[in-house]
Amino acid sequence: MSDSVTGPNRSANGPLFNLTFFVDLPSLHFQESFFARDVCSMAIPTWTTAQANMSVGINGTYVPFKSAPDSMRRFVRPALFSTGDDVWELRLFGTAFLVTFHGWTFAIVTAHQTDVAKGAPAADQFVVVVKSGNRHLAVSPSSLHRPVIDDEDRQSLRDLTFFDYSESSAKAEHMDLSSVIWSDAADITADYSFLIGYPSSSAIIELDGDDDSKLSNFTMRWIRQDLKEDEPRPLDVEHRTIFVKHDRSTRESVEPDGLSGSPVFSIIKDKGNDRHLRFDGIVTHANGDRFAVYPSVYIRDMLEHIVQQAQRNGD
């Protein structure tokens, strides 16, 4: 997948994005990876229990589980890269997932989204666009982290990049992964799964009829696809969880170019029939409606390593 769409930064009314970099990226840092007490005796009404069973927690707020998929889109962004060009300032190359983990802030993408040898943009061009007043600001990370895998049989787990925004004052919504349910959770049943991402085909690019160096419309649209887990096949990428489009999904299939970096979630039930949101992982490869997902249990291990390493270094 090339995951690439480019477009001029200007609309008919002026610049689409005002590029202001809060933080320089002078060097790239690589990291090695690997009940409340009862206070009264009041009975809980059965309708309250039922309502709890029908909701999932997202960043400390309970959301009806049927609304949860569309609620997740605020944490998912198009993966944008600064080009340095005066006209074509930003390049879209896949999807990025914005997260926090024990007070640290990251944008997660796949490593191949910054593989310049395969035509991808350079990692030091990555930006997150945030709104400040009536302007859009493109904000650079302070550093990045990538896993170093020594085991030859597990090299496919290198396909991940964490852009570190912990030092940035930019305001953007991030999903808190500090207490989520990960892909290794036991004794649960998945109701359904879904991904949120920005396929290249969903970008709307309309040229200004009076000036072909400007755009009248440059919109990046997100999509949701409903999924279910499937068994691995011989040609699937190793060390991935495989998901396919759910056979009851009413959503149209799309060309998966641009869905690298898309997070996948599941609505699950525990033994008490309470529902929860599980973070399954990040899409790294796709073939039609078949998605190879980097399991979140490894993402958790890497996040823990990054934070522990920083704490040892006194950061």
Side-chain angles (χ1 to χ4, degrees):
M1 297 187 290
S2 66
D3 297 334
S4 181
V5 171
T6 58
N9 73 307
R10 303 180 186 279
S11 68
N13 297 318
L16 179 69
F17 296 114
N18 180 3
L19 281 182
T20 301
F21 293 90
F22 287 157
V23 184
D24 292 328
L25 196 90
S27 61
L28 304 182
H29 304 290
F30 298 86
Q31 298 289 347
E32 186 177 353
S33 72
F34 293 101
F35 298 39
R37 177 176 300 178
D38 292 334
V39 295
C40 66
S41 59
M42 182 180 66
I44 300 175
T46 55
W47 67 265
T48 303
T49 302
Q51 184 68 23
N53 289 344
M54 299 294 284
S55 302
V56 297
I58 301 175
N59 282 15
T61 301
Y62 281 92
V63 177
F65 80 90
K66 291 185 178 180
S67 303
D70 292 343
S71 298
M72 301 306 297
R73 65 185 178 90
R74 66 186 188 271
F75 309 125
V76 185
R77 296 290 189 88
L80 295 173
F81 296 81
S82 173
T83 65
D85 187 90
D86 289 338
V87 177
W88 300 75
E89 286 189 316
L90 294 175
R91 180 182 181 184
L92 169 64
F93 207 84
T95 301
F97 182 33
L98 306 187
V99 307
T100 61
F101 187 73
H102 296 300
W104 294 73
T105 306
F106 303 94
I108 304 176
V109 303
T110 66
H112 71 256
Q113 286 171 256
T114 59
D115 187 350
V116 294
K118 296 183 179 180
D124 61 1
Q125 296 174 330
F126 181 82
V127 294
V128 169
V129 174
V130 299
K131 190 172 183 179
S132 177
N134 60 356
R135 297 185 303 166
H136 287 89
L137 308 177
V139 185
S140 296
S142 58
S143 61
L144 68 77
H145 311 267
R146 284 179 176 156
V148 176
I149 308 296
D150 294 328
D151 188 343
E152 289 296 326
D153 293 332
R154 303 170 75 84
Q155 290 301 298
S156 66
L157 293 176
R158 298 175 60 187
D159 194 9
L160 210 62
T161 298
F162 300 84
F163 289 103
D164 196 333
Y165 279 86
S166 303
E167 299 178 7
S168 174
S169 60
K171 302 300 182 183
E173 289 197 80
H174 296 71
M175 182 176 180
D176 190 352
L177 299 183
S178 303
S179 58
V180 299
I181 295 178
W182 304 88
S183 59
D184 61 344
D187 298 323
I188 54 90
T189 302
D191 285 336
Y192 62 93
S193 306
F194 60 94
L195 68 78
I196 303 291
Y198 285 83
S200 301
S201 61
S202 72
I204 301 174
I205 302 176
E206 299 175 354
L207 291 173
D208 187 328
D210 298 325
D211 187 344
D212 60 10
S213 69
K214 298 179 180 178
L215 291 181
S216 60
N217 188 8
F218 182 25
T219 303
M220 294 158 288
R221 296 181 299 172
W222 64 279
I223 64 106
R224 162 190 161 190
Q225 185 56 273
D226 298 318
L227 307 173
K228 65 178 182 179
E229 195 168 339
D230 196 24
E231 294 295 324
R233 296 177 182 174
L235 296 181
D236 288 331
V237 180
E238 294 182 323
H239 308 297
R240 297 292 189 272
T241 306
I242 303 301
F243 288 84
V244 296
K245 180 181 176 180
H246 201 287
D247 48 18
R248 296 178 63 183
S249 174
T250 59
R251 300 177 184 277
E252 293 184 3
S253 299
V254 299
E255 168 59 43
D257 182 78
L259 293 180
S260 290
S262 299
V264 175
F265 306 93
S266 293
I267 304 298
I268 62 171
K269 286 191 299 186
D270 60 22
K271 288 184 175 181
N273 286 326
D274 290 322
R275 283 184 167 84
H276 309 274
L277 184 73
R278 180 180 68 190
F279 171 41
D280 290 296
I282 298 292
V283 173
T284 61
H285 299 78
N287 183 6
D289 288 325
R290 189 174 183 82
F291 302 92
V293 176
Y294 193 113
S296 68
V297 60
Y298 299 122
I299 297 174
R300 178 193 65 199
D301 293 345
M302 294 172 192
L303 287 170
E304 289 177 346
H305 180 87
I306 293 170
V307 172
Q308 291 169 3
Q309 184 76 18
Q311 291 172 341
R312 285 195 295 267
N313 294 337
D315 294 345

